[in-house]
Amino acid sequence: MSRHASYIRQSVRIDCYMALNRYKDAVQEYENTAKLFFEELGIRPSEHMMQQFEQMSSRLNYKPQELGDIKERLKEDDIRGGAFYCSLPSFRDSYRLVSRIIERNGQSVYLMLCSITNGKGMPMDKPDKLEVLSGELQNTIQQCLRKGDSFTKYSPSQFLILLVGTNKENCSMIFDRIQRYFSREHKSWKQYLDYFVSSVAEVDRQDSPIQFNTENKTW
């Protein structure tokens, strides 16, 4: 089944749940679809796909009597220490909100792109090894960062991290901490990590090391 056909099938299921007033099921289906596309299938998100998910989420309208359920769903299911992991669509919304906030208060916020390579600066080309390293990197980021930081899986080999209230010098220290924890049991794994970092206020600049308006990095 093609990716487009998979999306259509998921979208139709959400419409069916909505028609039956099964709002909880509709929301769950939306969240499962986001996870399927961006995490399990490892599909690099295009602008068109992100627009499709926005259209899908816009249909998840609750009736007034469902507000109590909304409040419950907003709570974290499993409150743990460390950074907050969220789906790519949710991360993008958080990023946009933070971008607006710092325009007013001038707070320092940095975006880090942490990548798994083949040890020579090129993309990892061994799927089985990449899957193991990716799982370990996700756990590492979760453990090494603060509760106020958030992160997401951007592609099979890349994670985006939103670092609030830090500076550029601290970003290199944060990556060093990630790298040490990541390679704590396998010292050779240290060579497989690389990163880029940019102030959120400067991401859209032409000289920014992280950009999302280029052919290879869109969201």
Side-chain angles (χ1 to χ4, degrees), residues 27-172:
V27 173
Q28 188 62 56
E29 190 68 30
Y30 167 73
E31 293 174 351
N32 290 342
T33 302
K35 182 178 181 180
L36 172 66
F37 272 76
F38 301 129
E39 298 178 31
E40 297 177 12
L41 297 182
I43 298 173
R44 182 180 293 278
S46 66
E47 182 60 29
H48 177 64
M49 183 177 291
M50 295 303 294
Q51 290 174 357
Q52 286 182 311
F53 273 89
E54 286 181 349
Q55 292 170 2
M56 185 186 292
S57 62
S58 70
R59 298 200 299 272
L60 303 181
N61 299 315
Y62 284 85
K63 292 183 178 180
Q65 60 265 34
E66 297 291 328
L67 289 178
D69 291 332
I70 295 176
K71 184 177 180 181
E72 287 300 315
R73 289 193 60 82
L74 289 174
K75 295 180 180 179
E76 288 189 58
D77 294 330
D78 183 17
I79 301 177
R80 296 177 290 176
F84 177 71
Y85 180 81
C86 50
S87 66
L88 182 59
S90 295
F91 184 88
R92 187 183 69 160
D93 290 339
S94 297
Y95 172 86
R96 289 177 170 178
L97 176 60
V98 168
S99 297
R100 291 189 175 202
I101 292 174
I102 63 175
E103 288 181 359
R104 298 186 60 183
N105 63 17
Q107 188 175 17
S108 177
V109 181
Y110 279 80
L111 184 68
M112 178 180 291
L113 177 65
C114 196
S115 303
I116 299 171
T117 73
N118 64 354
K120 299 179 181 179
M122 300 298 291
M124 172 66 69
D125 56 1
K126 299 179 179 180
D128 292 343
K129 188 171 185 178
L130 176 59
E131 183 178 359
V132 173
L133 294 177
S134 180
E136 181 58 34
L137 181 55
Q138 180 170 337
N139 177 66
T140 294
I141 296 172
Q142 171 77 53
Q143 297 296 325
C144 288
L145 300 183
R146 305 164 301 178
K147 293 179 66 175
D149 299 322
S150 60
F151 72 107
T152 191
K153 191 171 186 178
Y154 184 65
S155 75
S157 62
Q158 296 175 307
F159 286 84
L160 283 169
I161 308 170
L162 198 59
L163 301 166
V164 179
T166 189
N167 55 46
K168 193 168 186 178
E169 291 72 24
N170 285 339
C171 288
S172 62

